[in-house]
Amino acid sequence: MGLFGKIGEGLRKTRDNFQRQIQQITRAFTKIDEDFFEGLEEVLIMSDVGVHTAGAICEHLRQRVKEQGITDPAAIEEELKEVIAGMLEGDDSLHLGTQPSVILVIGVNGVGKTTTIGKLAAYLSGQGKRVLLAAADTFRAAAIDQLGIWAERAGAEMVRHTEGSDPAAVVYDAIAAGKARGVDVIICDTAGRLHTKKNLMDELAKIRRVIDRELPDADKETLLVLDATTGQNALNQAKQFKEAAGLTGLVLTKLDGTARGGVVIGIKEELGIPIKFVGVGEQVDDLQPFDPKAFAEGLFAKGEET
Ligand code: GDP
């Protein structure tokens, strides 16, 4: 792995695209004026940052340019990097102080939820924690089996029922087992699709009630997994789940598969929910704790590390 590590590698497609366009703009202008900002805003929108967030970034930049008397368009890259890192800052660590603590993982099918749970289990096991998975996506037998494979790979235990059984009952049993065995972290998978959206939201609410009742004082995280390759659609999903699910953090997957990683900035800016992890590949160690500075660096760093 090169100089910028996995996040730099995972952002390669985004960076190639982004940097080329930023350079085109900075080279095309000899001074920083309104036309320059308009061009820059367009580049940001094209990188899937989102219209609202592109405007906000340019507003921050205008202020910096004015305050610091910057006149050279080439100097804007460094400023942009700092503005983006600043916007991405938040409470990006997991709060898992109690034994047990609980992570509820939600998200629609296909976003990489199972893979993320597996990687997360391996990450926590690697820190010496005892991890138990609750296979509470009982809607599909394949989901339970898939999670079982990841549990093995990650050195985690798992509580499962048969397909079609009550997900809240799986979570209940997992908590009882977790308490009895002295587990550190219980990670609950959930269904990504049910017959209707209302069914899904009701089911999530029921699972949460069980967790709150059985572990009233435990540390709890509710993480929404989003597929970064779906761009603005990921933002819409986040908005829907935010209303219903009391999210504490986001995981953006498949950053390695998209040139539109700018969506990460838009999602953080518009929702105000911290990004806690990013997925940059399919392997067990391809989940990275989110680091705003490394992310911003990764957007601009040259591609020579590959
Ligand atoms: P689920 O339906 O949400 O549980 O999704 P899965 O965990 O089964 O993942 C769907 C597909 O996305 C699988 O082929 C995964 O290998 C792939 N995937 C998950 N995370 C990543 C990632 O960070 N990068 C890449 N390239 N692929 C990923």
Side-chain angles (χ1 to χ4, degrees):
M1 193 50 55
L3 199 54
F4 300 104
K6 285 213 171 206
I7 189 71
E9 173 60 15
L11 280 170
R12 184 145 56 99
K13 288 184 186 166
T14 300
R15 173 175 59 246
D16 286 351
N17 199 23
F18 189 57
Q19 213 171 19
R20 196 182 46 220
Q21 294 189 52
I22 293 283
Q23 280 174 358
Q24 268 171 15
I25 289 282
T26 52
R27 282 176 192 153
F29 285 83
T30 50
K31 61 180 191 335
I32 298 176
D33 56 13
E34 257 322 293
D35 286 345
F36 172 79
F37 278 118
E38 257 174 43
L40 187 63
E41 196 165 331
E42 224 166 87
V43 167
L44 292 168
I45 291 169
M46 268 157 32
S47 304
D48 238 2
V49 163
V51 175
H52 167 84
T53 305
I57 292 174
C58 286
E59 213 31 65
H60 282 297
L61 280 174
R62 276 193 193 92
Q63 201 141 10
R64 277 175 171 251
V65 163
K66 210 160 115 194
E67 277 167 15
Q68 299 174 30
I70 298 165
T71 52
D72 179 6
I76 214 78
E77 242 185 56
E78 206 46 47
E79 298 303 315
L80 190 53
K81 206 187 291 180
E82 281 179 29
V83 166
I84 289 173
M87 279 175 128
L88 286 169
E89 249 158 47
D91 181 12
D92 42 40
S93 60
L94 289 178
H95 298 283
L96 303 171
T98 59
Q99 187 197 42
S101 44
V102 182
I103 307 175
L104 185 63
V105 183
I106 62 181
V108 308
N109 285 344
V111 293
K113 190 154 46 72
T114 312
T115 310
T116 297
I117 291 171
K119 292 170 177 174
L120 201 50
Y123 171 79
L124 294 169
S125 295
Q127 295 181 337
K129 291 185 189 284
R130 186 165 173 186
V131 180
L132 175 78
L133 306 185
D137 178 0
T138 59
F139 197 65
R140 298 174 302 159
I144 302 174
D145 293 341
Q146 194 70 28
L147 198 69
I149 295 168
W150 272 107
E152 220 163 277
R153 207 176 281 165
E157 297 158 56
M158 176 158 128
V159 167
R160 60 190 287 173
H161 289 189
T162 49
E163 183 185 3
S165 54
D166 180 4
V170 179
V171 171
Y172 179 89
D173 281 355
I175 291 172
K179 282 181 184 169
R181 298 180 202 170
V183 158
D184 296 302
V185 187
I186 301 168
I187 307 179
C188 305
D189 189 14
T190 58
R193 200 186 84 84
L194 290 180
H195 301 295
T196 68
K197 192 181 145 207
K198 184 171 182 315
N199 284 149
L200 180 59
M201 296 303 172
D202 287 351
E203 183 171 299
L204 290 175
K206 190 173 165 192
I207 292 173
R208 290 176 70 91
R209 279 199 300 277
V210 169
I211 297 170
D212 286 341
R213 194 183 64 218
E214 297 305 312
L215 291 169
D217 300 319
D219 284 345
K220 294 155 203 147
E221 293 275 355
T222 302
L223 303 181
L224 175 67
V225 182
L226 297 167
D227 178 345
T229 66
T230 63
Q232 294 300 303
N233 194 20
L235 178 62
N236 292 334
Q237 278 171 22
K239 282 181 180 162
Q240 288 187 2
F241 277 98
K242 186 188 175 185
E243 284 165 26
L247 306 175
T248 60
L250 304 173
V251 181
L252 267 293
T253 63
K254 309 187 198 179
L255 267 185
D256 54 308
T258 182
R260 309 188 123 206
V263 71
V264 171
I265 309 163
I267 287 174
K268 169 67 174 61
E269 171 70 11
E270 281 208 37
L271 279 91
I273 302 169
I275 294 157
K276 301 223 170 182
F277 286 90
V278 286
V280 291
E282 295 183 277
Q283 303 305 312
V284 67
D285 59 346
D286 285 334
L287 188 74
Q288 297 282 305
F290 186 65
D291 176 346
K293 280 210 177 73
F295 184 91
E297 284 288 337
L299 284 178
F300 294 92
K302 306 277 186 298
E304 66 271 336
E305 78 275 20
T306 57

